[in-house]
Amino acid sequence: MVEKLIRRLSNIKEKNNYRTLQYYDKKYSKYIFIEGHRYLNFSSNDYLGISTDVDLLRDFYDSIELDLNWHGFSSASSRLISGNPIIYKMLEEELATFLGKKRAIVFNSGYHMNIGVLPALTDKRDLILSDKLNHASIIDGLRLSEAKHIRYKHLDYDGLEAYLEKNRNGYENVFIVTESLFSMDGDIADLKRLVEIKRRFSCYLYVDEAHSIGVYGNGKGIAYEMGVLDKIDLLAGTFGKAFSSVGGFIATDDLFFELIVNFSRPFIFTTGLPPVVVFWNYFILKKIPTLVEKINKLFMLSKRFRSLLIQMDYKTLGNSYIVPLILGDSNKTLEVSKKLRESGVLVPAIRPPTVPEGTSRLRFSLNSLMDEEDIELVLAGLKGGET
Ligand code: PMP
């Protein structure tokens, strides 16, 4: 009995995939301080460096100073009861306008959103087709849905089309689900092709822009940059990354909005976000047009880092500010991550089950506070680590 539970842990320890929690003392600019040591932080999704921007924080608190209502930490009930402060309406209307959609609906996190939307929209006569590398929250959403689901090979749109050709008629509604910028490989979905496929086979398209919203397409995401935002049925974003906050949202039409409000259990059965958080999300959304310089700097630096890694014969993937360095073996990945840490660089070792066996990697998440000298520090650390 208890032995079985202990064995679960020893199995992952043997494979070097055992995880422990680590606490930090504070963050300052691009640095994180742990147990008195300072590290350059490549492990954060705060791509625009907003979370440590004290001037911005001061501006924010100044802007809400007069009304203590908005400083609160609890909505004190679920949104459908009374935990629905008017700033939710402001945020959702602003999001809908920003993304050119009729409606937007905010969830407590991107995880709530991804486990909550597809189950609310589907039943057993439906089919969900999901990219194999979609985030765990999407996979959990598939599990919770009554629909049949298939995880298609990463970015294999020929395979997806062939499957639909054969099987589309066997289902009522079909949803295709993809991330736009994939968080583990740092590569990008061909949303134009997916829009063609969804049109041809009468499917709905759900695009998770968690890692791209706020940055790509002047902050409007990759679908906007590719010119297909108006063709995406459900555009999902999160506030936990470039917005330096917490929450998730879907920008969509009236019908999907109403279905979510009425049927999405992770939306209905949870206390609303703290008003102060909703207000911050609104505040940052309004700031996005002023962040262009930070965004451009991030793209330039990422390009440079990737090309230097390639020049030095390292294996990397994708073409964004998420730069994976593929090392294959979990043990080796942990070792190199440890060596880099000794040289003042914090970068996560990503191992199975987060990524497939044999593809363990260091995942460098760059942010716009970093400079060329930071990249050089990494490259020197890697050389020292003899990868
Ligand atoms: N979608 C994707 C693609 C993600 O990478 C993540 C989190 N890493 C989520 C959704 C979940 O978002 P949140 O952290 O807001 O729960």
Side-chain angles (χ1 to χ4, degrees):
M1 297 253 284
V2 73
E3 289 76 15
K4 180 180 164 190
L5 297 173
I6 294 170
R7 210 174 325 119
R8 292 193 78 182
L9 287 176
S10 53
N11 283 346
I12 53 171
K13 278 184 188 162
E14 272 163 29
K15 291 185 181 166
N16 269 315
N17 292 333
Y18 182 69
R19 295 149 196 246
T20 53
L21 279 169
Q22 176 175 270
Y23 299 90
Y24 72 86
D25 308 325
K26 63 173 180 176
K27 284 182 185 167
Y28 174 73
S29 178
K30 56 196 167 188
Y31 299 107
I32 184 165
F33 295 76
I34 303 171
E35 293 172 358
H37 297 283
R38 190 188 81 167
Y39 301 98
L40 190 56
N41 189 6
F42 282 95
S43 69
S44 161
N45 300 320
D46 175 21
Y47 302 118
L48 301 176
I50 287 175
S51 70
T52 55
D53 187 334
V54 287
D55 293 332
L56 202 62
L57 273 169
R58 215 166 275 131
D59 271 5
F60 171 68
Y61 282 110
D62 284 349
S63 76
I64 59 171
E65 193 180 32
L66 291 177
D67 196 341
L68 276 179
N69 245 319
W70 304 142
H71 286 68
F73 294 100
S74 180
S75 286
S77 78
S78 68
R79 290 191 62 189
L80 282 168
I81 305 295
S82 65
N84 200 31
I86 192 78
I87 42 173
Y88 263 123
K89 187 167 190 282
M90 288 157 60
L91 174 61
E92 288 170 345
E93 284 179 359
E94 193 66 31
L95 277 168
T97 307
F98 182 66
L99 295 167
K101 297 284 178 194
K102 292 231 26 210
R103 308 298 287 268
I105 181 87
V106 171
F107 284 78
N108 282 13
S109 73
Y111 187 84
H112 285 79
M113 167 186 82
N114 280 336
I115 64 167
V117 173
L118 288 167
L121 304 182
T122 52
D123 65 27
K124 50 181 176 299
R125 287 161 298 187
D126 300 329
L127 170 70
I128 307 172
L129 296 162
S130 174
D131 189 291
K132 194 113 193 208
L133 290 195
N134 279 342
H135 188 253
S137 54
I138 297 176
I139 297 172
D140 291 354
L142 303 179
R143 289 177 178 155
L144 286 171
S145 161
E146 286 181 5
K148 177 178 164 95
H149 66 263
I150 306 277
R151 293 174 64 204
Y152 61 87
K153 198 170 143 220
H154 182 49
L155 303 182
D156 178 12
Y157 304 126
D158 291 339
L160 179 64
E161 259 185 340
Y163 187 85
L164 281 164
E165 196 92 61
K166 257 191 163 169
N167 299 288
R168 172 65 186 93
N169 290 339
Y171 300 92
E172 279 185 10
N173 289 330
V174 178
F175 288 79
I176 301 172
V177 192
T178 185
E179 291 184 33
S180 51
L181 168 54
F182 286 87
S183 61
M184 289 303 145
D185 285 14
D187 54 356
I188 289 174
D190 183 348
L191 298 180
K192 280 190 174 168
R193 176 93 192 264
L194 282 172
V195 162
E196 270 172 39
I197 294 175
K198 85 141 206 167
R199 209 187 269 147
R200 191 169 149 217
F201 294 97
S202 295
C203 307
Y204 295 111
L205 184 55
Y206 179 119
V207 177
D208 181 340
E209 296 246 30
H211 292 272
S212 40
I213 203 81
V215 188
Y216 277 85
N218 297 328
K220 294 185 184 190
I222 290 174
Y224 174 82
E225 190 162 293
M226 290 185 176
V228 293
L229 180 54
D230 59 329
K231 307 289 186 311
I232 310 295
D233 302 285
L234 295 135
L235 189 94
T238 59
F239 297 112
K241 301 174 198 311
F243 280 68
S244 287
S245 174
V246 66
F249 69 85
I250 298 284
T252 187
D253 62 16
D254 287 320
L255 177 63
F256 284 135
F257 175 92
E258 283 178 31
L259 285 163
I260 289 168
V261 170
N262 284 282
F263 293 105
S264 177
R265 296 173 67 85
F267 174 80
I268 299 169
F269 297 107
T270 190
T271 303
L273 283 168
V276 71
V277 168
V278 186
F279 210 106
W280 169 265
N281 295 342
Y282 174 75
F283 174 84
I284 295 298
L285 182 60
K286 295 284 247 183
K287 285 268 178 231
I288 283 180
T290 68
L291 303 177
V292 177
E293 240 174 76
K294 283 175 185 273
I295 293 172
N296 291 342
K297 185 178 169 211
L298 175 61
F299 279 120
M300 270 169 47
L301 196 73
S302 309
K303 206 168 162 193
R304 175 97 181 119
F305 184 42
R306 194 173 253 102
S307 73
L308 286 173
L309 283 175
I310 292 168
Q311 264 176 40
M312 293 167 76
D313 282 337
Y314 290 119
K315 184 173 177 215
T316 179
L317 300 168
N319 46 10
S320 65
Y321 35 83
I322 299 172
V323 186
L325 177 64
I326 311 293
L327 295 169
D329 175 62
S330 291
N331 211 4
K332 184 174 177 189
T333 307
L334 280 174
E335 234 170 67
V336 180
S337 160
K338 195 165 156 243
K339 290 242 164 70
L340 281 172
R341 196 166 165 155
E342 283 159 12
S343 53
V345 173
L346 187 75
V347 57
I350 311 280
R351 293 159 285 156
T354 310
V355 291
E357 265 329 310
T359 70
S360 288
R361 64 197 65 186
L362 299 177
R363 183 181 58 167
F364 292 90
S365 295
L366 275 63
N367 72 57
S368 57
L369 295 169
M370 293 174 174
D371 293 299
E372 180 93 19
E373 68 204 30
D374 299 318
I375 287 175
E376 277 159 18
L377 183 69
V378 173
L379 297 176
L382 284 174
K383 273 191 203 147
E386 289 168 11
T387 59

